[in-house]
Amino acid sequence: QVLVVESGGGLVHPGGSLRLSCAASGSIFSIRLMGWYRQAPGQERELVALIPSQNKTAYSDSVKGRFALSTDNTRNIFYLRMSDLKPEDTAIYFCNVKGLDGRRGNFDSWGPGTQVTVSS
């Protein structure tokens, strides 16, 4: 079983910054893809950023230039640095990790989410 946990959310003023962390643990053989998603109240979950194993990041147009992904592959920790935050960035942020577990079976795990609120 692969466990995914997010942390780092909170309340921040417009224009401020936060760094979210996503830690994957358990029986992991390899990670193929990691993504950050968010869901605002009354809206569907949307993709924010992706980083495949080749380390080529991709961002949604709404966060491009403001958010940045980074990884600590040795510890299976993924970061989302968010800068110049706007009220419309307010949402629950979820981490999703896909790969092969210790038995070489596919896993697709989600964390419980972390709340980000941007407000003055």
Side-chain angles (χ1 to χ4, degrees):
Q1 184 178 359
V2 176
L3 181 66
V4 174
V5 179
E6 307 93 339
S7 61
L11 173 64
V12 63
H13 293 307
S17 299
L18 280 175
R19 189 181 76 163
L20 304 183
S21 299
C22 169
S25 62
S27 180
I28 299 173
F29 174 74
S30 64
I31 291 177
R32 181 174 69 252
L33 185 69
M34 191 287 298
W36 282 100
Y37 296 76
R38 68 185 181 187
Q39 187 167 17
Q43 298 186 19
E44 294 186 355
R45 191 171 298 188
E46 64 172 353
L47 176 65
V48 175
L50 279 174
I51 184 167
S53 58
Q54 298 88 344
N55 288 325
K56 293 182 180 178
T57 56
Y59 301 93
S60 68
D61 288 342
S62 62
V63 306
K64 199 172 295 183
R66 300 188 297 120
F67 290 12
L69 282 166
S70 62
T71 66
D72 181 345
N73 293 322
T74 61
R75 296 192 295 163
N76 291 332
I77 299 177
F78 311 92
Y79 303 98
L80 182 68
R81 177 69 178 177
M82 306 186 295
S83 303
D84 189 22
L85 283 161
K86 305 175 181 181
E88 51 264 40
D89 294 317
T90 295
I92 300 174
Y93 284 70
F94 298 90
C95 178
N96 174 246
V97 182
K98 296 181 174 63
L100 293 177
D101 63 22
R103 296 183 178 182
R104 308 303 188 267
N106 289 310
F107 72 86
D108 181 349
S109 298
W110 289 86
T114 185
Q115 176 71 47
V116 172
T117 302
V118 185
S119 174
S120 54

